[in-house]
């Protein structure tokens, strides 16, 4: 199943389903906050140093290491606050690589918290990912967005005025 900007939508899926719908429909919020700015928020949670990136069609993946033929992809994160979003986004990248015949493993690093999270696309994670992708498709096919549900992200969300005024 092909969903444009699926990596980004997966990130937001675990934060706000309404935002998934709005982003998928390219509904642009206030002028100061375009979709690029929203994507930047994901970037802000990620360290930019020593990146080697590979571009696979619509997906850009950070390569951490290549050792004995095994590719390790992932990211160095500033905090584990959005760990579910980051994990499932990485699972999606592993899935895209797998579809290209590339076996890779994932890792999320949180140096400030001295944490390291291995992400392996096993059967369970792949099934969970596919269920998420199906649900994203179902959300974006709806005529109207899901109703707003207050969450801790609303305060910094570019759609806040649209949702709450
Ligand atoms: S303001 Fe809140 S409810 Fe509205 S899209 Fe943003 S996160 Fe979702």
């Amino acid at each position: 199943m092909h969903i444009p900007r699926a990596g980004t939508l997966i990130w937001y899926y675990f934060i706000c389903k309404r935002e998934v719908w709005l982003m998928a429909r390219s509904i642009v919020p206030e002028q100061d906050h375009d979709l690029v700015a929203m994507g930047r928020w994901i970037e802000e949670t990620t360290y930019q140093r020593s990146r080697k990136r590979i571009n696979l069609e619509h997906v850009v993946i950070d390569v951490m290491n290549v050792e004995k033929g095994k590719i390790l992809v992932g990211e160095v994160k500033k905090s584990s606050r959005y760990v579910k979003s980051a994990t499932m986004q990485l699972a999606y990248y592993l899935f895209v690589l797998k579809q290209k015949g590339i076996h890779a493993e994932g890792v999320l690093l949180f140096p400030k918290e001295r944490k390291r999270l291995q992400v392996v696309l096993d059967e369970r994670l792949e099934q969970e990912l596919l269920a998420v992708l199906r649900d994203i498709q179902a959300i974006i096919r709806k005529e109207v967005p899901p109703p707003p549900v207050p969450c801790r992200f609303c305060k910094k969300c570019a759609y806040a005025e649209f949702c709450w005024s």
Side-chain angles (χ1 to χ4, degrees):
M1 85 187 80
H2 174 65
I3 302 173
R5 291 184 290 139
T8 303
L9 297 182
I10 287 169
W11 179 281
Y12 284 102
Y13 178 84
F14 293 97
I15 292 167
C16 173
K17 312 276 190 290
R18 179 177 171 86
E19 186 153 6
V20 169
W21 189 95
L22 292 167
M23 290 195 80
R25 300 290 178 108
S26 296
I27 292 174
V28 180
E30 297 171 53
Q31 281 187 339
D32 291 348
H33 298 93
D34 58 11
L35 291 176
V36 176
M38 299 178 73
R40 203 177 298 136
W41 174 67
I42 297 177
E43 291 282 306
E44 280 169 6
T45 66
T46 305
Y47 287 109
Q48 301 297 307
R49 67 170 180 251
S50 65
R51 288 188 150 192
K52 284 183 211 142
R53 310 192 107 184
I54 49 171
N55 208 329
L56 268 181
E57 294 165 11
H58 54 289
V59 172
V60 180
I61 302 170
D62 288 338
V63 179
M64 311 290 287
N65 203 356
V66 182
E67 226 174 56
K68 295 179 187 159
K70 196 165 86 178
I71 299 175
L72 193 63
V73 298
E75 283 178 331
V76 184
K77 293 288 191 187
K78 288 180 181 166
S79 105
S80 57
R81 195 170 175 200
Y82 300 102
V83 68
K84 186 66 182 175
S85 291
T87 302
M88 294 311 290
Q89 193 180 48
L90 187 49
Y92 173 69
Y93 296 155
L94 294 173
F95 180 69
V96 171
L97 287 170
K98 185 181 167 185
Q99 287 182 314
K100 304 276 174 204
I102 300 167
H103 174 71
E105 287 186 6
V107 66
L108 293 170
L109 299 169
F110 309 97
K112 274 192 191 163
E113 300 168 22
R114 299 186 179 195
K115 272 195 215 164
R116 176 191 172 98
L117 184 68
Q118 197 183 12
V119 180
V120 176
L121 189 69
D122 57 14
E123 183 63 22
R124 183 200 57 77
L125 187 59
E126 187 168 328
Q127 288 309 316
E128 185 183 352
L129 174 71
L130 290 173
V132 167
L133 289 171
R134 280 194 295 272
D135 200 28
I136 287 175
Q137 262 187 336
I139 290 168
I140 62 188
R141 276 199 196 123
K142 286 189 176 141
E143 288 297 310
V144 292
V149 177
C151 70
R152 64 185 181 181
F153 181 64
C154 287
K155 260 196 270 174
K156 62 155 67 176
C157 178
Y159 294 111
E161 209 175 305
F162 178 76
C163 291
W164 303 113
S165 59

